[in-house]
Amino acid sequence: MSNRILVVDDAAFMRMMIKDILSKNGFEVVGEAENGAQAVEKYAELKPDLVTMDITMPEKDGIAALKEIKAADAGAKVIMCSAMGQQAMVIDAIQAGAKDFIVKPFQADRVIEAISKVLSS
């Protein structure tokens, strides 16, 4: 069975890029969300194996969404995505329960390495 992944990013282009990387490497993208509020809803609805979560988004940022998802499911596996220069936010995300983070612009090998590592842990 392929691993089911929820992709969360406010930029459609970034969602498309990460979906492309995932599908080419045998992962199944089960859903997408464009803000943290949608991410929390979709997580509850889809029960994905892993979430890739942008940090900076409208309505609810990725860290707030991460905390809500972890509160509902302590075993949730979430990898944060951030642009360069957001180290402080990345530290906040790891403290809030994120399993790893990947930096934009995405490098396919790093994305797959992070996801594979988290899913096998």
Side-chain angles (χ1 to χ4, degrees):
M1 189 186 115
S2 64
N3 289 298
R4 302 168 68 254
I5 300 176
L6 172 63
V7 175
V8 184
D9 198 303
D10 58 326
F13 175 72
M14 286 297 178
R15 292 198 307 273
M16 191 181 73
M17 268 179 63
I18 204 158
K19 278 192 324 194
D20 188 50
I21 293 168
L22 294 171
S23 57
K24 282 182 178 160
N25 287 276
F27 296 99
E28 180 190 357
V29 176
V30 291
E32 292 179 49
E34 58 188 50
N35 62 53
Q38 277 184 10
V40 174
E41 282 172 29
K42 294 259 186 186
Y43 186 87
E45 177 192 324
L46 300 169
K47 305 272 188 274
D49 298 314
L50 184 135
V51 181
T52 65
M53 178 92 67
D54 187 21
I55 292 180
T56 312
M57 293 183 291
E59 281 187 58
K60 182 178 289 176
D61 68 36
I63 295 173
L66 166 69
K67 288 176 180 170
E68 256 184 77
I69 289 170
K70 292 297 278 188
D73 176 4
K77 294 182 175 185
V78 181
I79 294 178
M80 303 308 283
C81 306
S82 74
M84 287 291 201
Q86 292 184 324
Q87 279 79 3
M89 288 177 163
V90 167
I91 292 165
D92 289 349
I94 300 291
Q95 288 171 339
K99 299 289 187 192
D100 202 347
F101 71 95
I102 43 184
V103 176
K104 297 175 185 177
F106 299 123
Q107 289 167 320
D109 52 351
R110 172 69 186 119
V111 171
I112 298 307
E113 174 199 332
I115 288 173
S116 300
K117 187 179 80 185
V118 170
L119 284 170
S120 65
S121 65

PDB file of all heavy atoms in Angstrom, residues 7 14 49 69 97:
ATOM      1  N   VAL A   7      -0.893  17.362   1.455  1.00  0.00           N
ATOM      2  CA  VAL A   7       0.014  18.456   1.104  1.00  0.00           C
ATOM      3  C   VAL A   7      -0.649  19.791   1.462  1.00  0.00           C
ATOM      4  O   VAL A   7      -1.751  20.074   0.986  1.00  0.00           O
ATOM      5  CB  VAL A   7       0.363  18.414  -0.406  1.00  0.00           C
ATOM      6  CG1 VAL A   7       1.197  19.626  -0.806  1.00  0.00           C
ATOM      7  CG2 VAL A   7       1.083  17.116  -0.753  1.00  0.00           C
ATOM      8  N   MET A  14       3.498  25.626  -5.277  1.00  0.00           N
ATOM      9  CA  MET A  14       4.281  24.787  -4.352  1.00  0.00           C
ATOM     10  C   MET A  14       3.590  23.438  -4.126  1.00  0.00           C
ATOM     11  O   MET A  14       4.251  22.401  -4.067  1.00  0.00           O
ATOM     12  CB  MET A  14       4.471  25.499  -3.006  1.00  0.00           C
ATOM     13  CG  MET A  14       5.475  26.613  -3.068  1.00  0.00           C
ATOM     14  SD  MET A  14       7.111  25.979  -3.485  1.00  0.00           S
ATOM     15  CE  MET A  14       8.043  27.478  -3.556  1.00  0.00           C
ATOM     16  N   ASP A  49      -1.066   9.349   6.281  1.00  0.00           N
ATOM     17  CA  ASP A  49       0.091   8.800   7.001  1.00  0.00           C
ATOM     18  C   ASP A  49       1.079   9.900   7.353  1.00  0.00           C
ATOM     19  O   ASP A  49       1.853   9.776   8.296  1.00  0.00           O
ATOM     20  CB  ASP A  49       0.802   7.750   6.132  1.00  0.00           C
ATOM     21  CG  ASP A  49      -0.115   6.581   5.811  1.00  0.00           C
ATOM     22  OD1 ASP A  49      -0.779   6.088   6.731  1.00  0.00           O
ATOM     23  OD2 ASP A  49      -0.171   6.170   4.637  1.00  0.00           O
ATOM     24  N   ILE A  69      -3.416  19.489  15.130  1.00  0.00           N
ATOM     25  CA  ILE A  69      -3.376  18.109  14.631  1.00  0.00           C
ATOM     26  C   ILE A  69      -2.744  17.190  15.674  1.00  0.00           C
ATOM     27  O   ILE A  69      -3.261  16.107  15.959  1.00  0.00           O
ATOM     28  CB  ILE A  69      -2.630  18.041  13.275  1.00  0.00           C
ATOM     29  CG1 ILE A  69      -3.495  18.684  12.186  1.00  0.00           C
ATOM     30  CG2 ILE A  69      -2.268  16.601  12.918  1.00  0.00           C
ATOM     31  CD1 ILE A  69      -2.781  18.898  10.848  1.00  0.00           C
ATOM     32  N   GLY A  97       6.186  19.545  17.719  1.00  0.00           N
ATOM     33  CA  GLY A  97       5.963  18.150  17.352  1.00  0.00           C
ATOM     34  C   GLY A  97       6.225  17.774  15.909  1.00  0.00           C
ATOM     35  O   GLY A  97       5.975  16.639  15.510  1.00  0.00           O
TER      36      GLY A  97
END
